[in-house]
Amino acid sequence: MNIQNINNAIDPQKKILLQHPLYAKVKTIEDLQSFLESHVFAVWDFMSLLKALQSKLTCTITPWFATANPETRYLINEIVLAEESDLTLDGRRQSHYEMYIEAMKDCGASTLEIENFIAQINSLQNIFVAIKTSNLHSNIKAFLDFTFRVIEQGKPHEIAAAFTFGREDLIPSMFTAILKNFEANFPDTDLSKLIYYFERHIELDADEHGPMAMKMITELCGEDAQKWTEVEEISVMALDKRIGLWDAIEEIITMKVEMA
């Protein structure tokens, strides 16, 4: 088994995501705000997958020791550098999550739900209890629960699978087109940071992080058929959870429109 086999296995889910009716529902700035207020949870938990991989593949404790594979050590550290401390539109250093939060605020989306959720995690000191007791849509809960179950299981190749194949790189390009249309139609709403976030995401995924992540999967699985099978299973499950997230956001937008 290899990367191409994985791509073949997840192709049905990718097609569902590409053709999802959610995109057609994002018609107004209010719709966009609803999208961002839910999607931010995926932006946030992505960082946890990233840091879980860094803790597994590099040494993040003292005393320091050299981990087994310098290649995977390099790959994950390179990805962390950009994801956790990239250059913003105006030349500051921020994580991609912090960029997203700023972009949300600029276009009038509320960050209260994600901020309250993170505060609840800090208070409870248990991510699974925080998810279960939150008021989030059940599909968003399932999405988050899956991420942290994979992290808790602690298998680097499975975490890498959720990180690499579970985060759809075709979706941001679609939203960039939608955002640019909004920018033209709603000139009073500042979408510059949001467009920059998506464009930066696309640029890094296509040119750097995507190929690096694929190489990391190959390094972690090697010739181990069982690991390749587990990567395929986790990748399919991750995209199923992403479809569920998209279903939830579509439902939230539809309900708000009907109530308006």
Side-chain angles (χ1 to χ4, degrees):
M1 191 177 286
N2 55 31
I3 296 294
Q4 188 55 52
N5 293 124
I6 307 297
N7 281 325
N8 291 341
I10 63 176
D11 190 58
Q13 282 82 5
K14 289 176 77 171
K15 285 177 178 172
I16 291 170
L17 284 166
L18 281 169
Q19 298 163 8
H20 200 284
L22 168 64
Y23 312 121
K25 295 287 176 70
V26 185
K27 297 175 181 176
T28 67
I29 291 299
E30 290 75 22
D31 297 338
L32 176 64
Q33 290 165 350
S34 295
F35 170 80
L36 299 175
E37 288 162 13
S38 293
H39 180 246
V40 67
F41 287 90
V43 176
W44 171 76
D45 84 337
F46 173 82
M47 299 301 295
S48 292
L49 284 169
L50 175 69
K51 298 303 284 186
L53 278 172
Q54 188 181 35
S55 70
K56 293 288 181 185
L57 303 179
T58 75
C59 183
T60 56
I61 59 171
T62 56
W64 178 87
F65 61 91
T67 49
N69 190 325
E71 188 67 24
T72 56
R73 192 191 312 157
Y74 165 76
L75 291 168
I76 195 60
N77 279 333
E78 277 291 304
I79 296 172
V80 168
L81 179 64
E83 293 288 348
E84 200 170 32
S85 52
D86 203 4
L87 277 174
T88 63
L89 185 60
D90 54 2
R92 291 171 294 128
R93 290 286 176 187
Q94 277 189 334
S95 69
H96 284 185
Y97 168 75
E98 290 165 311
M99 284 186 194
Y100 199 87
I101 289 291
E102 279 198 1
M104 286 177 68
K105 290 176 178 177
D106 274 10
C107 71
S110 172
T111 59
L112 194 59
E113 194 167 39
I114 182 69
E115 288 168 355
N116 286 344
F117 179 70
I118 291 173
Q120 187 75 342
I121 296 168
N122 288 329
S123 172
L124 294 169
Q125 293 294 300
N126 187 312
I127 180 63
F128 298 108
V129 174
I131 293 167
K132 187 175 181 178
T133 58
S134 73
N135 293 320
L136 297 172
H137 189 288
S138 59
N139 286 16
I140 300 176
K141 289 185 179 186
F143 182 89
L144 293 169
D145 187 78
F146 170 77
T147 295
F148 288 97
R149 295 290 172 193
V150 172
I151 290 170
E152 185 181 52
Q153 285 166 16
K155 295 182 179 180
H157 61 284
E158 291 189 352
I159 300 170
F163 177 87
T164 303
F165 296 104
R167 304 297 161 143
E168 181 52 65
D169 59 354
L170 298 174
I171 305 306
S173 59
M174 289 187 148
F175 272 93
T176 303
I178 292 171
L179 290 169
K180 287 185 173 177
N181 184 50
F182 280 164
E183 198 173 36
N185 293 333
F186 302 97
D188 295 332
T189 304
D190 184 6
L191 298 176
S192 57
K193 288 181 181 177
L194 200 56
I195 291 171
Y196 175 81
Y197 167 86
F198 279 118
E199 288 183 337
R200 183 71 177 138
H201 191 69
I202 294 163
E203 176 190 358
L204 283 172
D205 275 358
D207 297 340
E208 299 174 38
H209 294 179
M212 282 182 173
M214 296 297 178
K215 189 172 182 181
M216 181 167 58
I217 293 274
T218 302
E219 287 280 336
L220 288 170
C221 292
E223 300 299 318
D224 190 322
Q226 179 63 31
K227 285 184 177 179
W228 280 110
T229 298
E230 289 172 351
V231 163
E232 180 179 318
E233 290 170 353
I234 290 293
S235 300
V236 170
M237 290 171 65
L239 286 180
D240 281 341
K241 298 301 180 188
R242 168 69 74 165
I243 292 166
L245 175 66
W246 260 212
D247 290 344
I249 300 174
E250 182 195 4
E251 184 182 317
I252 289 165
I253 290 173
T254 301
M255 286 177 60
K256 286 185 177 180
V257 169
E258 289 173 352
M259 290 171 62

